[in-house]
Amino acid sequence: MATIVPASTAQSLAASLATAGVGSLTTPTYDRFADGETLAAVPDFDDEEAIIIASTVDNDAHVELLQLQDAVREAGASDVTTVIPYLGYGRQDKAFKHGQPVSARAVARAISTGTDRVVLVDPHEPDVTEFFDVPTRIVNAAGQLAAPLADLDDPLFVAPDEGATGLAEATRDAYGNGDVDYFEKERDYDTGEVEITPSDAAVEGRDVVLVDDIIATGGTMSGAIAALHDRDVARVYACCIHPVLAGAARTKLAAAGVERVVGTDTLERTVSDVSVAPAIADALGE
């Protein structure tokens, strides 16, 4: 049985994977030197197979992951699997302006040097798998979002744009009934502002479940919630795989009139009501 090595950003998910029988847990240490440098170590690791679980939510988390990969190799691991529930820089999959980096490619190449394979959970752009130099697979977790939803009235599952329709469909299918639609969304890459245009679907008196892969600043989702309330919707639920919820995002959603926010444990937040552990466990067991 493999040893699960949790980064500081994925401790709850790692514990859930251990409970699911994926492997036994080791306890890393996470330290910081006086000059600000981090040091992630695995003093109790003693195995040939390691499964590292790390959500790379910020720059420190990226460095911590690279250190854990190197640490388990140094401790004797000959087979390393890296599970990245939330891939930071995953939305920077192209150079949007001249002279900018393709940051997703840069971090993927770095991660690839210390692992034999990578598992991602619903990255924003699925094509980022091509940036890794080792076998990489995607786990889809949208179906997990339906579990906390109960007794919806004539539900409509809505994606904030056409590209996220698959997530809305997966959530609807897991729930068991309802319609699926999407908003038209246009982003100004110079200003970062997003304009939401409601579809023509009938929403009056219905419960609407908004489904997206990420809620970051909450701007897109709160705009969609407000637009729905303008059309006399009943209740609005906001569901996402990755609840980044940066800054005042949660407040924006509340002010817009959200009934409930549901996220997974790819990021450890107060709204992380469902776990992606079963989906990851299935993928690792194949």
Side-chain angles (χ1 to χ4, degrees):
M1 181 178 291
T3 297
I4 299 172
V5 183
S8 61
T9 57
Q11 296 178 63
S12 295
L13 177 53
S16 296
L17 286 169
T19 300
V22 169
S24 59
L25 279 171
T26 192
T27 304
T29 58
Y30 322 106
D31 296 312
R32 188 179 294 274
F33 293 106
D35 62 359
E37 292 180 352
T38 60
L39 175 62
V42 287
D44 298 326
F45 181 87
D46 183 19
D47 199 347
E48 294 183 354
E49 185 177 355
I51 301 174
I52 299 174
I53 316 293
S55 285
T56 51
V57 68
D58 55 29
N59 290 342
D60 280 355
H62 277 282
V63 174
E64 183 178 284
L65 170 55
L66 298 179
Q67 289 180 330
L68 289 174
Q69 288 177 329
D70 197 71
V72 296
R73 293 288 195 194
E74 186 69 16
S78 57
D79 187 272
V80 178
T81 299
T82 300
V83 178
I84 308 176
Y86 173 76
L87 177 65
Y89 292 102
R91 289 181 288 176
Q92 295 185 34
D93 62 316
K94 64 184 70 175
F96 294 100
K97 295 182 181 179
H98 176 72
Q100 289 186 345
V102 182
S103 298
R105 180 178 61 200
V107 299
R109 287 174 173 173
I111 292 166
S112 297
T113 62
T115 192
D116 296 291
R117 66 197 63 82
V118 170
V119 177
L120 306 175
V121 179
D122 286 299
H124 185 69
E125 297 293 344
D127 289 345
V128 297
T129 56
E130 299 176 5
F131 294 145
F132 290 88
D133 298 323
V134 294
T136 303
R137 66 173 299 175
I138 291 175
V139 170
N140 301 118
Q144 312 294 325
L145 296 171
L149 304 175
D151 301 324
L152 298 178
D153 186 10
D154 192 15
L156 175 65
F157 294 80
V158 181
D161 56 44
E162 187 174 6
T165 303
L167 297 176
E169 290 175 340
T171 306
R172 185 274 313 273
D173 292 346
Y175 181 75
N177 67 83
D179 300 321
V180 174
D181 204 349
Y182 64 90
F183 283 94
E184 296 289 348
K185 181 171 71 173
E186 294 186 6
R187 182 183 300 273
D188 187 325
Y189 286 102
D190 291 325
T191 65
E193 295 182 357
V194 176
E195 182 179 350
I196 296 287
T197 304
S199 70
D200 293 329
V203 299
E204 183 175 353
R206 303 179 71 177
D207 287 337
V208 175
V209 181
L210 293 169
V211 186
D212 205 356
D213 60 334
I214 299 172
I215 300 179
T217 65
T220 299
M221 192 67 81
S222 61
I225 294 167
L228 288 167
H229 279 298
D230 286 342
R231 298 172 63 186
D232 296 323
V233 72
R235 297 174 294 181
V236 182
Y237 297 80
C239 297
C240 67
I241 306 294
H242 309 296
V244 175
L245 298 178
R250 185 65 184 85
T251 301
K252 291 179 184 177
L253 299 175
V258 73
E259 178 76 15
R260 181 177 179 181
V261 181
V262 175
T264 80
D265 56 357
T266 62
L267 294 167
E268 297 179 357
R269 301 288 189 265
T270 57
V271 301
S272 300
D273 295 322
V274 292
S275 180
V276 298
I280 293 175
D282 289 343
L284 293 176
E286 293 178 357

